[in-house]
Each structure stands twice: as C-alpha cells, then as structure tokens.
Amino acid sequence: AKEFQQELEKEGQTINMCGVGAHHQNGTAERTIRTVSEAARSTMIHAALHWPEGIKIDLWPFALDYVTYIWNKMPSMKTNLAPSEVVSGTRLNVGLLRGAHVWGCPCYVLKGRNC
C-alpha cells in the first residue's frame, strides 16, 4: 500500500476515502446505475408480458448488458454526445442504434439450402 501511495503522490493524485454504503458521495455514478437497473427491469417486464414462455429471471444479466450498451450509445440531450463518445473522443455511427431490436423478442435464423 505504501508503494501505491508513493506512486499516487509522484503523479499528483490523491485518494479520498468514503464510508461504507455512502452512496451520496458519488451521485452521478449512483444515478446512472439506478437508471440502467430500472431500464433493464422494465425491459424484462416488457418481454415477459409479450413472450412469457421465453423470458426467465436467468436472463437478467443479458438484459442489463443490452441496456448498458444502449445507454453508452445514447447521446445526452445537453451535450449531444454519448458516454462512449466522451470517453473515446470519437463520434459514433448512428446506425448502431437504428439497428437495435427490442430486447427479448423472438427471432428466427433462416438457414440457406447449403447449410
């Protein structure tokens, strides 16, 4: 731990400790986690209402991954930039969101005659 602290000091960085369960100390991250979790829950409920035989609670990680993907590609109304654009510094292809499908809907793979 001393080596880590020395490296931080060398780079001019500091560590701020927070109490266990102190969610209020990083409000932006906590709000984003809540928003993504609620969207994943809504996505699963929507899919379960339309396709009850195919949607089980075991699919929660996939719903969360899908919603996180959409969240990272969705531009902010304030900056007109998506979170992934802010991090990478490059503009995204708008076609990524246009090609998105409703999560959990049934899909079919059509096999050609040569398959």
Side-chain angles (χ1 to χ4, degrees):
K2 286 183 182 180
E3 293 86 10
F4 180 68
Q5 289 179 345
Q6 289 171 351
E7 186 65 26
L8 287 177
E9 289 174 9
K10 182 177 115 183
E11 297 296 326
Q13 296 179 353
T14 60
I15 294 180
N16 295 327
M17 305 294 182
C18 65
V20 175
H23 301 290
H24 61 277
Q25 292 183 335
N26 192 350
T28 304
E30 292 296 329
R31 180 61 193 162
T32 301
I33 291 168
R34 179 179 175 187
T35 301
V36 168
S37 296
E38 288 176 352
R41 187 176 301 117
S42 297
T43 299
M44 285 201 67
I45 291 170
H46 175 266
L49 288 173
H50 290 282
W51 305 283
E53 65 283 347
I55 303 301
K56 306 294 180 227
I57 194 68
D58 298 344
L59 297 175
W60 169 254
F62 297 104
L64 197 58
D65 282 345
Y66 183 77
V67 170
T68 303
Y69 173 82
I70 297 295
W71 175 265
N72 285 328
K73 307 291 187 250
M74 189 70 66
S76 165
M77 293 180 76
K78 291 181 183 178
T79 64
N80 202 26
L81 294 171
S84 58
E85 291 175 323
V86 173
V87 170
S88 68
T90 59
R91 297 293 292 184
L92 290 176
N93 181 2
V94 181
L96 292 173
L97 290 177
R98 288 190 182 138
H101 295 274
V102 175
W103 183 87
C105 68
C107 63
Y108 302 93
V109 177
L110 300 176
K111 295 174 78 175
R113 293 182 183 169
N114 297 332
C115 295

